[in-house]
Amino acid sequence: MKLIKTVLSMGSAMLLAGCFTLDSADLRATGEEHVCVGNRGWYLFNIIPLACGNASEDPFMPWVFFRNDVTMDKIQRRFMDYAKFYGKQTGDMSYYTQESVLFEIPGTDFPVPVPYLLTYKEIQLSGVLK
C-alpha cells in the first residue's frame, strides 16, 4: 500500500511539472516590450514525452501527455504569433535550454542520479518587441 501511495504521489507531481508560460513586460523608458516564452516537461529515457506544458494557441488543458511540446519551433511560433498579433517587430532574441537527469527525493534537496530513466527538459526564448 505504501508503494502505491508513493507511485501515485510521484505521478501527480509529474503531471504538475509540465508548464508553458508566456510573460511580457513594458519597458517604459523606450516604449518597447520584453517577452519571454518558455515550456518544460518530463521524458522517459530522454525520448518519450510523458507530460509537457501545452504550447497550443487555445489550450483545453495546461499540460499534454505523450506529446512533445518542448521544442524550439513551437516556442518560436508562439513568440512570433504574439509579436504579429500586436504588430511589432522582434529584436535582441536569446534562448536558454536545460536538460537534467537528476531526480530529487520529494521533501529533500538530495539529488539522485537516475540516468536517462526520467529526464527533465526546459526551453525559454526571450526578446524585445519594438
Side-chain angles (χ1 to χ4, degrees):
M1 188 67 169
K2 188 174 182 179
L3 177 63
I4 293 173
K5 287 182 182 178
T6 303
V7 170
L8 289 176
S9 65
M10 288 175 63
S12 62
M14 281 182 14
L15 294 178
L16 299 174
C19 184
F20 174 84
T21 59
L22 192 152
D23 298 310
S24 67
D26 289 331
L27 304 172
R28 299 195 192 284
T30 61
E32 298 171 336
E33 181 179 9
H34 182 260
V35 177
C36 182
V37 181
N39 201 2
R40 50 199 66 75
W42 290 95
Y43 293 79
L44 184 63
F45 305 118
N46 204 33
I47 298 171
I48 303 167
L50 297 176
C52 299
N54 192 345
S56 299
E57 184 68 32
D58 293 319
F60 175 69
M61 294 175 50
W63 58 84
V64 293
F65 303 104
F66 310 112
R67 184 177 86 194
N68 188 11
D69 274 14
V70 185
T71 61
M72 187 57 80
D73 62 324
K74 290 184 181 188
I75 300 300
Q76 286 175 338
R77 185 176 305 119
R78 287 297 303 272
F79 187 95
M80 298 308 285
D81 287 348
Y82 184 88
K84 184 178 179 181
F85 180 79
Y86 289 104
K88 296 187 176 183
Q89 299 295 318
T90 62
D92 299 326
M93 296 176 67
S94 65
Y95 70 95
Y96 166 80
T97 61
Q98 176 187 359
E99 290 189 28
S100 177
V101 295
L102 295 180
F103 181 75
E104 288 187 8
I105 297 173
T108 69
D109 290 332
F110 183 70
V112 178
V114 184
Y116 294 103
L117 178 65
L118 184 64
T119 62
Y120 172 82
K121 294 181 183 181
E122 179 179 357
I123 295 178
Q124 289 182 355
L125 176 66
S126 65
V128 176
L129 302 183
K130 303 173 185 179

